[in-house]
Amino acid sequence: MAGRVDLDGNPIKPITICMIGAGGFIGSHLCEKLMSETPHKVLAVDVYSDKIKHLLEPATLAWADRIQFHRINIKNDSRLEGLIKMADLTINLAAICTPADYNTRPLDTIYSNFIDALPVVKYCSENGKRLIHFSTCEVYGKTIGAFLPKDSPLRQDPAYYVLKEDASPCIFGPIEKQRWSYACAKQLIERLVYAEGAENGLEFTIVRPFNWIGPRMDFIPGIDGPSEGVPRVLACFSNNLLRREPLKLVDGGESQRTFIYIKDAIEAVLLMIENPARANGHIFNVGNPNNEVTVRQLAEMMTQVYSKVSGESSIETPTIDVSSKEFYGEGYDDSDKRIPDMTIINKQLGWNPKTSLWDLLESTLTYQHRTYAEAVKQAMSKTTAN
Ligand SMILES: NC(=O)c1ccc[n+]([C@@H]2O[C@H](COP(=O)([O-])OP(=O)(O)OC[C@H]3O[C@@H](n4cnc5c(N)ncnc54)[C@H](O)[C@@H]3O)[C@@H](O)[C@H]2O)c1
Ligand SMILES: O=c1ccn([C@@H]2O[C@H](COP(=O)(O)OP(=O)(O)O[C@H]3OC[C@@H](O)[C@H](O)[C@H]3O)[C@@H](O)[C@H]2O)c(=O)[nH]1
């Protein structure tokens, strides 16, 4: 750790980071990175700590004096401002961010992504503290190309689908499509953070993650989460594979996504943390434009990879089609395609993603199999016995 320098060759001074939502998927990986590779301190704020338990216990861990867990719900806890004041930098990850909630719990979604983030922005601004705020690629909504006729040659032109931080519009569906409650709340909080920067000098960075995936993402229904819960696609498909049931393709699985390995993405966040002069005032796409697939292709690849890592042959009918209404309920809608433009992050931080989709699925599904296969088997045999 000694002699670490930033991108401009200056020595990196240890800082204290107030990380809100530290117990979630991204937070757990960021805490791991900060503990194992940097001298920084973390005040970890969340309502849950299961995903960072290995970093908090036992007290003999090498970094024990550099991480403190604070079980705080930021909706209603006066200790938040004190923690932000104690830190040099606040990173806000806290949010409801699973699509199954956007149309079924739109009020909770809007409160979580906009109202609950307001005090965080305010405390940072009033106390002259730097803020890294986690937004989402969903703020882009649908691509311009999605509105062209299906056979239009313009659909092949990147100008109609590549998503650029400083040029692309944010295109959401009608209000009755409550899917967009999340994207809209995230967009408004981005605008507020940006305005605090412009009017009051808040030092900020906004991150727009493009489908970061890897170990510890969400939960496996009935094992470490509610049995009726619907997590994001990685956990949905993992659950299906573990139970040897067909993967469900929503509306034909035609939507396209670019997936990035969580460990590549965390490298980008560390560069933002340690290079404030290069990161402040910017909005960054963080994704892997080389890993684009349709959801159907993702299902096929995950089926192949899971077979390889588990040693089990795949089932006869590996996928089935399901309507979005049946799967998510009324008010669901979808982003058609998400390719991040990498110009700004490349120029400011010299960062590029490394891991291919096959490789990231291989390490992630190895983890899923090792962590859950036995528990799923036991849960299924109990159900059959009953
Ligand atoms: N994972 C991705 O690919 C992705 C993509 C786009 C945006 N994001 C954004 O990144 C952030 C983190 O995402 P994640 O994938 O780690 O999700 P996550 O659900 O695993 O983590 C969010 C954490 O915030 C905590 N939290 C929520 N409300 C809270 C509250 N009121 N008080 C205290 N803690 C609270 C949750 O308990 C959870 O541990 C979110 O803002 C999300 O919108 C993630
Ligand atoms: O079992 C499933 C689950 C999901 N899907 C589809 O897979 C695609 C990806 O679904 P995800 O659950 O990963 O969520 P999305 O990519 O739509 O949104 C995510 O994007 C960025 C973040 O802000 C959030 O984490 C989330 O909103 C969608 O088209 C969805 O309809 C299936 O076909 N089957």
Side-chain angles (χ1 to χ4, degrees), residues 275-296:
N275 293 276
R278 288 168 175 260
N280 282 347
H282 288 284
I283 300 177
F284 291 119
N285 285 343
V286 180
N288 188 337
N290 307 318
N291 281 348
E292 190 185 36
V293 278
T294 61
V295 174
R296 180 179 292 277

Side-chain angles (χ1 to χ4, degrees), residues 21 23-26 46-48 72-75 93-95 97 134-136 182 186 209 211-212 217 232:
F25 162 58
I26 296 177
D46 206 304
V47 282
Y48 300 114
I72 285 178
N73 184 336
I74 63 161
K75 273 185 195 300
L93 294 150
C97 52
F134 270 71
S135 179
T136 173
Y182 167 79
K186 286 280 202 197
N211 294 76
W212 301 7
M217 185 169 198
R232 286 170 284 188

